[in-house]
Each structure stands twice: as C-alpha cells, then as structure tokens.
Amino acid sequence: MAEGDSRRALPWPFRRLLRLAVRPPAPEQDVDEEMRFHLELSVERLVKSGMTPEAARQEALRRFGDVANYRDTCVELSRRREQEVGRARRWGALVQDVRYGVRGLLRTPGFTLVAVLTLALGIGANTAIFGVVRGVLLRELPYPAPERLVQLWQRAPETPRGVFSFPDFEDWRTQSKSLESAGAYFYAEGRTGVDLLGDGEPQRLSAAYVSDGFFQTLGSAPLLGRPFQAQDHVPGQADVVVLSHGLWQRRFGGAQDVVGRSVTLEGKPHTVLGVMPRGFDFPSPATEVWLPVAWLTQDSVPWQQRGSRWLMGVGRLKPGVTVDSARAELEGVSRALEAEHPASNARFVGATVVPLHEAMVGEVKTSLLVLLGAVAFILLIACANLANLLLARGTVRAQELAVRTALGASPGRLMRQLLTESLLLAVAGGLLGLVVAVLGAEGLVQLAAGRLPRASEVRLDGAVLAFTLGLSAATGVLFGLLPALRASSPSLQPLLKGASPGQGAGGGRRLRGGLVVVEVALAVVLASGAGLAARSLSHLLSTDMGFDPQGVSVVHFSIGSAHDNERTAYYQRVLEAVRALPGVESVGAAKTLPGQSDVEMIRLAVPGKPDELMRVNIQHISRDYFRTLHIPVKAGRDFTDDDREGKQSRFVVVVNEAFVRRYGLEGDPVEQTLTLGGDPVTIVGVVGDTRQAGPSEPVEPMLYVHVLQNSRSSVNLMVRGRGDPMRVAADVQKAVWSVDPNQTINRVTTLEQVMREGVARPRLLAVLMGLFAALGLLLGAVGIYGVLAYTVSQRRREIGVRLALGATPGDVLRMVMGGGLRLVGAGVALGLAGALALARLMESVLYGVRAHDPLTFACVVAGLLAVAVLASWLPARRATRVPPAVTLRAE
Amino acid sequence: MGDTSLELLQGTLDVLVLKAVSWGPQHGYGVAELIRMHSGEALKVDEGALYPALHRLERRGWLEAEWGVSENNRRAKFYRLTGEGRAQLRAGTQHWLAYSDAVTRVLRSA
C-alpha cells in the first residue's frame, strides 16, 4: 500500500514510463544467461574431475551440442510464450471488465432495460433510414457510367422543366456537341398505359413511349432480343414492344422464346422485340412496357409540329463534359432554334440539365434527409439521456469507484471499465437495433411501395451493417465518455473520507443541466418538424378535390376478348344490373380513377386556334359519373344513354371549367365544336373543376368522353349507395357476375381508400415524423425528470432546513420547478432557432402550410412546456414531502 | 558413453525432463545430470537439447520457471512441475511403458 501510494503520487503518464523502465529483460538475455550458467557449471565440474580448463571447456561444449541452434529455438519459444501470456492477460482483463460490467448492469435491470431499449430504437431507426438513404440516394444508378447521364428539359421563364416537342429534341440531339447520345420519352406516373388482352386476364400496363436513342443512351442492353432500332420509330411500323423483366416473369412465366411472339395491346397485335434485364426501371419502377414514340402518333398526328411539347429527354454527356458546359452549349442550340422558328420557340430559349440521379430522387431526397436528420436527433437525445443517467449512476457509484482506486485501480483502468459498460449497452442496443432496422426498412419500403424511386435497391447489406456497428460504437463512446471522464477523475478521493457524494458536484449539475437543455432543444426541432408534416397532411386531406369520395365503392375490371365485339352492349348490361341493385343511388363508370388521370397526346383544335398536338387529360366515363361523384354540372348537361351510339350519332364531350379557361373558349362553350384527333366533337356540358391528379396537384383542364362511344377494355364502376361502401362493392361484384359469371374482377375498394393511397407519401412523412417526435418528447421528459429527481435527492438536506426554517411547501415547489423550467426554457429557445432552420429545409415537402407556421410552433412550445411541467412537478412534489425533523436529526 | 550409448527417441526427452523435475525444482544442468545418472550413463543426450525441451514444456504450462540462486551461489533459472505437468508425466510414463513393453514382447517372441 505504501509503495502504491508513492507511485500514485505521480501523474499516470509518468507511471507508465516507470513501468517501461522496469520491464523484464528480453528473452535473448534470459536464454543466454541460462545457457552460460550451464556451461560454466559444466566446465567447473570437469576441472574438478581433473581436466585442464581448456580441455574442460572443449568437453563441455561438445556435450552441449549445437549452441547457436538451441539458443535460437529457446529464444523463439520464449518469445512466443511471452506473447501468449500477454494476450491472455489482456484478454483476461477484457473478460474481467466485461463480466464486471455485465454484473453491474444486471444489478440495475431497470436502468439497463431503459438504456438498451432507447439505444435499440435510436440505432435501429437510424440504420433503417440509412439503409433507405443508401439504396435510394447514395447508390449509383444501375447503368454504365451513370455519372454521365443527365435529364434534359427545355426551359421557359415560367417552366424551368419544360417538355420538348419532337422536332426540338431532334435538333438538340443532332446539333449538340456535349451529348454523346440522347433519347426522348413520354411517360406520366400512373397515367400512361396500354391494355393488354389475350391469354390470361386483361391487364392495364404502365407504358413508356420512347424515341430512337433511348436505350442506347442509358447503355443497358436487353436481356433477350433487341432494343428499338431506327426502323421501329417510323409511324405505322411501330407495333413493337419491349417488356420489363417483371412483366416477362409475371405474365410470360420467363419464357425464353417470348421474343418474336405477338401480344395484343389496345386490341392490336404487337411483336415482342426484347426483354430488359432486372433492375432496368427507367423512367419508373412501375414501367412494364416500352413502346416507340411513333406508336402514339400513328394516326397521322402532326407530331412533327414544333409547338407541340410533350417529351422528356435523357442524355449521356461525352466523357469529360461537365453539366454546366453542356447546359451552356444547349442554351446556345435553343437560341439558334428561336432564331430559326420564332413563332414556336420564342419562349423556350433555355436549357435545364440535371444529373439523372438527382432528377430521379430529387423529389424524395428532402423527405429522406429530413427523416435521416430526425432519427439522428433521436439518437442524440438518447445519448444525452444515457449520459445523464450514467452521470447520475456514476455519482451514486462514486464510493465504489473510490474504493477501487484506493485498491490500486488506475484512473485509466476505471475509465476503461466505465467505457466497457457503455459499450456493452451500445452493443446490446445495436444488436436489438438491427432487428428494429430490418423490420423498419422493410416496413418503410412497403409503406412507400411505388412511391419511392429505386426502392428495389434498398437492402441491409454489409455497408449498412458496418454503419450500425460504427454507430453503436460511436454511441457507446459518445454517451459513455463524459461520465467516464468525470467518474474516473481523482477529485473523488475526498469521498473516501466520508464526504457525501453531492458535495463538490456543482460541475456535474451544470453538465447535466446542459444535457437537458440540448435534449429539449432537439425535441423541439423534432416536434416542429412533425407538426409541420402533420399540418401539411391535414391540409392535403382537407383540400377540396372538386368531388366527394365519401361513400363511393369502386369495382375495377377489364373485359377479355370474349366481349371484344360487343363491349358497349356488355357495359350497358353491367351498368343496368348494378343500377337495379337495391340501395344503389347512382352508378358511373370511368376508365381511370382520380389520381390516375389519363394524359393522352391528342390533336386538338378549338375554334379560332390552330390544330395542335397536346397533352390532354382525358377521362372516359359513362352517364351519372358526375352525379355519383357529386361533381356539379355548371352548364349544359351530363351524358345520356342516347349519346352512346358512337360515331353514328354526333360525338359529344363534356369539359371542365379549367378547360374553358385554358383554351379560351369564347361565349357559351356548350354546343361549340372542337376537333379531336381529326373528328368534330360537340361540347354538351361544362362541369366543375376537380383535382384529378391528386390533392397536391393543380386543377387541370379535363376532357370527358363517353366511354360507350369510345369503349375501353378496362373500367372502374363507381357506385354511390346506402350503407358500408365495401358491402355495396361486394353486391356490385355479384351484379357483374350475374351478367357474365366468368368476368374477372381486378380490384374492389372504396374511393376514399384510393384517395388515401394518393397521399401515402406525405402521410408516411407525417407518421414517421410524429413517431420520432413522440419518442423525442418521451426521452426529453425522462431526461428532465431524471435530472430534477436527482437534484432533489441531492438537496434533501437543504430543503429540509428550508422547511424547518419556515419555507412553505409552495416555496419549495416553486424553487424546484423553477430550476427545471429554466432548463426547459433555454432548451425551447435554442430549439426554436433550430426548428426555423429545419423548416426551411422542409419547405419543399410541405403543402398548404408555410414553413414558419406560427400555429405549429405555438403548439409545439405549449406541448413541450406541458410535458416539462409534468416532468418537473413529480420530483418537486416529492421535495415538499421531505420531513424536516428527520433531516435535521440526520445532521 | 561413446558408441554404446543409445540415441534418444523423439518425444522421450520430454518425459525424462518431466520426471527429472518431478523430484524437485531443478535448473537445466541439474536436469541433465539427473538423466545421465539415472540412466546409468546409457542415454546419450546433447545437453543443449534439454533447453528447447524445457522452454517447450514451460510454454505448454507443464513447467514453471523462476530465477533463483544455485548451490554455488549463482543466478540460475529453476524449473518446477505444475499440476498439469504432473498429470502429463503420469500419462507420458504410462504411454512409454506400454510402448516399450509391446516392442519388447515382439522382439522376444520366438
């Protein structure tokens, strides 16, 4: 003990040097000394038996044998043994630390459970979101040299991302010197599609229409067959199709001989040219078939018109060309086009060139980064909380640590012990967190199915596991270091002399207070983000869609070839059967549901305007569609059954008010005549505007066509009836089968359900943010409570004295709660500053709510204060119960 | 000694060293002396070969070593049998006796 004391008087780095100085001799010396002893003794004995010293030396060496060889063997063996012993000793120390740590943690199972669960949630949520971020944002696109791929737009002052006309795109492509190749395509998520008939169930396929150069630009070769070539892009020759890997598997059972087969799309035979490999999903994961752009334009549509803008572009930069220089060059091309074609190109003199990856994930990037930030905050709060808990624990354990110090444990050793404990917690939390992560990532991808680009690339691979591991370790150090540093510091020595642990811990209290301030601040930021996301969602949900989805059942079916020749009559029979159902108020049919409006390229001429190819939202409906969805007829009339005779009677359409505005129809639009695809059509009615494409999308011009005049192979029956819409839908299903028992039904749902799917992404963001915020608040509350409860327990004596001297319980309550609320106030102030910064980041994912929405912030502050008051009140009340007499006696 | 002495069989040395140390802590010279005396000078050992054996046995944990003072008052490394070493000695002895018994039976058979 005496020697130990004198050694401990030195600061520990010096002690380490001292240890180095008294290190045992190297194995070589050891072995040499051992052998020298042997030889000397041997010579001595031989001399004693009568030999001359010289002869004795010779004899001794002879008896010994190969000295050098034996020496080397011994040195080697000795060195190995030393290494083994050292390793065993270190391992033993580690095992001891771990065992000691586990025992300690098991002694306080409540603390351990809370810590591990907190960490599991924090690490798990971070891993899950990181897995998604990695798959979606960080992983390269699955095309050769993906860094050279760019998305191309024509830029006009009001539309930075404007679409191309076919001639403009061709000019860009041929005149550009920065582009190695380029391709144009026409695609609208969930809206461009073709009906597949023939063997098996009829199906609506998501289609992309692509120009020459599309596949070549992306650089992906088909798995089977060939991509489109120049001859496939000639109108009239375009009845060819390339299949996605998914469709090929699903619909054609992965048949190797699918290339060359004929499939029926939109009632016409098409030749399968090729199958793309798995993972080729441009422009969208939903894409099932690729058709030549020329396919759309077969009916002698003037697609060569420069003013008809409808195509998006993708390009591959030449090696070494930067995005900026490509943009500068393409702007030049655009200006040249303006000079050449001033009538059509006056406004489109700019170019927008964006790396393809950025263009693809840009929309979800912000959401994902916000979520990643939110989970990081959760983990930080968890760390602050655990650091706090450990600090409190450290103070309680101060006595134990002091004893260990006295018994010769160095501060380094103690620190290692304490860090081992936090790492143990972190590792346990990390392991459990992996489970959370696997479930979380899976759930996230499922929840976001079809709305998350590149979702198929999300997987928890080695990199993600390494992330978890690193995160666990970093977490362990982060929350363990402060307490370990404090607890192992020598200032604990006085404790041995019987001082109470609270004394001289003012620094500790400040530290813990600081941690609480940080926790509260982080919770405020989280809660504000969640509040904004929730307000945004509620805004989306309460947006006036222009129709009333409530109580409408939806039954979707596609008719097979059985009714090909009499579709109109078949629809009519089905509609009659459904109308006859008891409890049905009205029935309408529509080709597409709200949220999936059909954008068609169509040649449209309005009175006084030239014939132009336009992207028009077309909805094929039956009579009573407006009545069923409560869309008001503003002028004229709804379709009637008399309109159904197709092209024998006059072709009639209904338009919405936005259509009237957009195309500047003068006077009463009813009975005006338009030219649609070359045919004259008469407007018979004007209806109210709807947000056909979803609540966050603007109102668009709509053209309603009578489905019985232009029959489609798939249709949604929309039924407004009395009672539960799902039950009505089941009745409708039976009514369909009463007409044709072999009719397959694709989907039975309610319109409200369809609407809910439309806001799945903002809902997901709101739900996750809400979840994270709740977690953050809970952890923050635990933190406040922990610190105050601890403070109260430290100040029992002081409080007792105050009470004895006449302080009222109210005074004590105020004093303790005041301390807590001061911390919370500081945290809230700090948090609000952070929240304002976050709000700016979130701006692009919000809808209908300003990023600095005062109501949200007010609610967050109020909510947090409520939680804080509760968390401070509990320990404060306990403080008022300190019996003064008892405390004084203890003095 | 000389041509009549027997070459030591591989592995046998270990047992002999363990045996020699089993009578009490010994330094290397002592172990060599004991083996020579007890074999009636019949076994021919390079004395130096003992040392790799000693170090090997120490590494395996069958011997423990400690620096001490020899009978002639010099620093020497003394080896002592560990519990494990004692068990190993028993097993080795048994094994060796059975082996030599069997060999003897074969060679003595008519």
Side-chain angles (χ1 to χ4, degrees):
Chain A
M1 185 79 198
E3 186 206 17
D5 271 342
S6 72
R7 275 220 285 160
R8 251 195 317 282
L10 290 168
W12 70 270
F14 292 101
R15 250 176 288 136
R16 197 180 161 80
L17 279 177
L18 207 67
R19 253 210 319 279
L20 279 174
V22 297
R23 222 179 131 87
E28 287 90 340
Q29 270 171 281
D30 226 25
V31 170
D32 288 348
E33 192 176 347
E34 193 179 10
M35 291 187 171
R36 198 179 323 116
F37 171 76
H38 183 109
L39 287 169
E40 283 170 8
L41 203 59
S42 192
V43 170
E44 243 168 64
R45 297 273 165 94
L46 289 170
V47 168
K48 229 176 256 173
S49 71
M51 280 192 191
T52 65
E54 183 49 28
R57 211 178 60 82
Q58 293 289 343
E59 175 61 14
L61 280 174
R62 196 191 58 78
R63 287 188 188 178
F64 199 85
D66 186 350
V67 177
N69 179 21
Y70 292 143
R71 174 192 182 268
D72 288 351
T73 312
C74 287
V75 166
E76 181 59 28
L77 282 167
S78 183
R79 178 161 304 161
R80 285 251 183 87
R81 192 177 60 85
E82 246 176 42
Q83 280 168 0
E84 281 161 12
V85 167
R87 211 173 298 143
R89 193 180 303 125
R90 281 193 297 279
W91 181 246
L94 180 68
V95 167
Q96 198 193 345
D97 275 354
V98 167
R99 196 179 297 151
Y100 191 86
V102 168
R103 258 210 309 274
L105 292 175
L106 289 183
R107 254 203 308 277
T108 49
F111 162 82
T112 306
L113 194 70
V114 167
V116 169
L117 284 182
T118 308
L119 283 169
L121 284 174
I123 294 175
N126 272 279
T127 307
I129 302 278
F130 174 75
V132 174
V133 165
R134 186 174 134 77
V136 175
L137 298 186
L138 301 183
R139 212 185 279 273
E140 284 198 326
L141 291 175
Y143 310 116
E147 71 285 348
R148 280 161 50 209
L149 290 173
V150 288
Q151 184 98 52
L152 305 169
W153 283 282
Q154 250 183 336
R155 191 158 54 80
E158 73 283 5
T159 43
R161 296 188 167 191
V163 285
F164 291 92
S165 68
F166 193 82
D168 275 356
F169 190 81
E170 283 298 292
D171 286 340
W172 272 41
R173 183 158 86 148
T174 48
Q175 291 175 29
S176 160
K177 294 187 176 48
S178 354
L179 295 175
E180 187 175 281
S181 70
Y185 61 95
F186 172 54
Y187 176 81
E189 185 82 56
R191 304 199 230 163
T192 42
V194 289
D195 288 331
L196 171 68
L197 299 178
D199 5 302
E201 270 178 45
Q203 218 181 332
R204 180 91 183 149
L205 300 179
S206 174
Y209 304 89
V210 308
S211 81
D212 200 6
F214 173 84
F215 289 114
Q216 290 80 353
T217 299
L218 291 166
S220 291
L223 186 67
L224 293 176
R226 63 168 178 88
F228 300 131
Q229 286 163 0
Q231 72 265 24
D232 304 315
H233 295 285
V234 177
Q237 305 292 309
D239 290 335
V240 288
V241 61
V242 169
L243 309 178
S244 75
H245 191 273
L247 181 71
W248 176 54
Q249 289 293 331
R250 215 166 40 248
R251 181 78 185 204
F252 300 95
Q256 292 293 319
D257 61 348
V258 73
V259 173
R261 269 201 219 173
S262 176
V263 295
T264 308
L265 298 177
E266 296 288 302
K268 271 167 65 181
H270 287 64
T271 308
V272 175
L273 282 189
V275 177
M276 291 311 287
R278 184 197 302 278
F280 182 89
D281 59 0
F282 194 78
S284 156
T287 313
E288 290 171 302
V289 291
W290 290 268
L291 296 161
V293 157
W295 184 94
L296 280 172
T297 54
Q298 330 220 31
D299 304 322
S300 64
V301 166
W303 60 311
Q304 294 292 352
Q305 251 177 34
R306 212 166 268 281
S308 306
R309 296 194 161 80
W310 53 293
L311 287 164
M312 286 174 277
V314 58
R316 179 177 286 278
L317 301 176
K318 282 183 183 156
V321 173
T322 66
V323 169
D324 283 336
S325 66
R327 179 173 48 241
E329 194 227 7
L330 289 169
E331 296 209 331
V333 173
S334 277
R335 273 192 296 278
L337 288 177
E338 185 206 11
E340 216 175 313
H341 313 280
S344 57
N345 284 42
R347 284 158 50 249
F348 290 87
V349 294
T352 301
V353 181
V354 178
L356 185 61
H357 183 255
E358 198 181 309
M360 279 178 78
V361 302
E363 222 183 311
V364 293
K365 191 173 172 183
T366 314
S367 300
L368 281 179
L369 290 182
V370 165
L371 286 179
L372 192 63
V375 286
F377 276 19
I378 295 277
L379 195 58
L380 283 178
I381 297 181
C383 281
N385 231 340
L386 286 172
N388 243 335
L389 285 173
L390 282 176
L391 276 173
R393 214 169 110 93
T395 322
V396 171
R397 289 174 65 190
Q399 199 89 34
E400 170 208 330
L401 294 176
V403 169
R404 293 191 67 194
T405 308
L407 291 178
S410 66
R413 188 71 219 285
L414 283 188
M415 192 161 141
R416 206 172 71 197
Q417 173 66 49
L418 291 167
L419 272 181
T420 307
E421 274 178 35
S422 8
L423 281 173
L424 274 175
L425 285 175
V427 166
L431 285 179
L432 202 59
L434 267 186
V435 180
V436 176
V438 168
L439 298 177
E442 209 168 284
L444 212 63
V445 167
Q446 246 161 39
L447 275 174
R451 287 165 192 87
L452 185 68
R454 315 189 67 204
S456 61
E457 310 205 18
V458 172
R459 52 186 159 264
L460 300 183
D461 54 8
V464 179
L465 288 187
F467 175 80
T468 310
L469 197 71
L471 200 60
S472 305
T475 311
V477 172
L478 189 63
F479 72 74
L481 198 58
L482 264 183
L485 275 175
R486 281 197 60 77
S488 64
S489 74
S491 68
L492 290 169
Q493 286 294 323
L495 286 178
L496 270 185
K497 302 188 182 88
S500 98
Q503 286 172 359
R509 202 179 304 151
R510 259 199 307 283
L511 187 62
R512 300 174 39 127
L515 286 172
V516 166
V517 170
V518 170
E519 273 183 66
V520 171
L522 292 172
V524 166
V525 178
L526 273 181
S528 318
L532 289 173
R535 290 259 295 151
S536 175
L537 177 66
S538 94
H539 211 278
L540 280 178
L541 292 178
S542 62
T543 299
D544 182 12
M545 298 292 292
F547 59 87
D548 173 17
Q550 214 176 356
V552 176
S553 333
V554 173
V555 172
H556 176 245
F557 63 90
S558 308
I559 63 169
S561 43
H563 300 286
D564 248 6
N565 300 321
E566 38 114 37
R567 275 194 213 164
T568 309
Y570 178 65
Y571 278 147
Q572 199 62 21
R573 286 207 303 280
V574 170
L575 284 169
E576 290 310 328
V578 176
R579 273 187 199 118
L581 284 175
V584 164
E585 285 170 9
S586 68
V587 184
K591 187 182 158 217
T592 49
L593 290 170
Q596 331 169 313
S597 68
D598 246 357
V599 187
E600 287 186 15
M601 290 308 305
I602 205 146
R603 210 171 99 214
L604 175 73
V606 298
K609 299 267 167 65
D611 201 356
E612 265 190 16
L613 187 68
M614 297 188 186
R615 293 163 67 113
V616 181
N617 285 287
I618 296 194
Q619 173 70 300
H620 301 260
I621 59 166
S622 74
R623 79 168 160 98
D624 289 345
Y625 172 78
F626 303 122
R627 191 152 76 89
T628 308
L629 291 194
H630 293 171
I631 299 171
V633 176
K634 296 291 176 85
R637 62 168 175 87
D638 187 2
F639 292 122
T640 69
D641 283 349
D642 293 334
D643 296 323
R644 75 163 180 272
E645 286 310 322
K647 294 184 179 175
Q648 283 108 43
S649 77
R650 59 183 191 153
F651 206 136
V652 296
V653 296
V654 172
V655 299
N656 67 356
E657 293 176 308
F659 187 95
V660 174
R661 283 195 302 275
R662 166 78 66 89
Y663 297 105
L665 299 179
E666 312 273 335
D668 184 5
V670 176
E671 290 304 322
Q672 290 201 28
T673 300
L674 310 169
T675 315
L676 201 60
D679 298 320
V681 299
T682 309
I683 298 175
V684 293
V686 177
V687 295
D689 290 337
T690 57
R691 288 176 197 275
Q692 180 72 18
S696 58
E697 301 296 319
V699 166
E700 283 187 78
M702 292 288 299
L703 193 63
Y704 295 94
V705 177
H706 201 314
V707 73
L708 299 184
Q709 282 189 327
N710 192 351
S711 62
R712 319 301 292 193
S713 64
S714 80
V715 76
N716 291 285
L717 291 179
M718 306 210 199
V719 182
R720 186 176 288 281
R722 283 183 293 277
D724 174 19
M726 279 315 286
R727 178 159 311 163
V728 173
D731 289 342
V732 172
Q733 205 171 359
K734 281 190 208 117
V736 174
W737 282 329
S738 76
V739 178
D740 177 359
N742 294 323
Q743 175 64 56
T744 51
I745 303 239
N746 300 345
R747 193 172 177 208
V748 177
T749 181
T750 67
L751 196 49
E752 281 184 286
Q753 176 60 31
V754 173
M755 302 313 296
R756 267 200 293 279
E757 286 162 18
V759 292
R761 198 188 284 169
R763 181 188 298 275
L764 189 63
L765 184 67
V767 166
L768 287 177
M769 285 298 286
L771 199 70
F772 296 160
L775 240 158
L777 269 183
L778 182 71
L779 292 176
V782 169
I784 298 166
Y785 174 83
V787 164
L788 287 186
Y790 174 73
T791 312
V792 166
S793 74
Q794 295 303 299
R795 291 170 69 187
R796 273 174 76 90
R797 205 176 300 173
E798 176 207 328
I799 291 169
V801 171
R802 280 173 192 260
L803 286 172
L805 293 179
T808 64
D811 294 334
V812 172
L813 200 68
R814 261 192 300 282
M815 180 185 78
V816 174
M817 286 189 69
L821 291 181
R822 253 198 306 281
L823 295 180
V824 172
V828 166
L830 202 64
L832 276 178
L836 288 177
L838 172 81
R840 247 199 304 283
L841 175 69
M842 278 184 77
E843 206 138 33
S844 66
V845 292
L846 296 179
Y847 178 77
V849 50
R850 285 184 308 129
H852 296 167
D853 183 41
L855 180 63
T856 306
F857 288 124
C859 286
V860 166
V861 170
L864 235 143
L865 285 178
V867 170
V869 165
L870 185 69
S872 335
W873 182 70
L874 288 171
R877 204 175 52 130
R878 189 150 355 114
T880 63
R881 304 236 169 111
V882 174
V886 173
T887 327
L888 288 178
R889 220 174 16 250
E891 276 302 89
Chain B
M1 297 270 268
D3 290 331
T4 57
S5 32
L6 302 168
E7 291 279 343
L8 214 52
L9 283 168
Q10 180 68 34
T12 312
L13 183 58
D14 288 0
V15 194
L16 296 180
V17 169
L18 287 175
K19 183 70 182 177
V21 173
S22 74
W23 296 310
Q26 276 303 338
H27 45 67
Y29 186 85
V31 171
E33 282 290 282
L34 282 171
I35 292 176
R36 189 166 43 227
M37 269 159 53
H38 285 268
S39 71
E41 311 255 332
L43 294 175
K44 180 196 173 189
V45 186
D46 270 358
E47 285 171 12
L50 279 176
Y51 288 90
L54 284 166
H55 280 262
R56 193 164 52 241
L57 297 175
E58 186 189 0
R59 184 174 163 217
R60 288 194 186 157
W62 296 341
L63 295 181
E64 280 173 340
E66 207 176 4
W67 285 90
V69 180
S70 72
E71 52 273 37
N72 60 355
N73 237 352
R74 256 183 302 182
R75 234 168 87 80
K77 195 174 172 189
F78 284 86
Y79 293 88
R80 190 174 43 224
L81 209 58
T82 63
E84 260 182 276
R86 198 165 295 284
Q88 180 57 31
L89 172 60
R90 262 198 302 278
T93 308
Q94 229 163 39
H95 179 84
W96 213 95
L97 289 178
Y99 173 77
S100 79
D101 235 34
V103 174
T104 311
R105 262 203 304 279
V106 172
L107 298 179
R108 291 254 165 95
S109 56

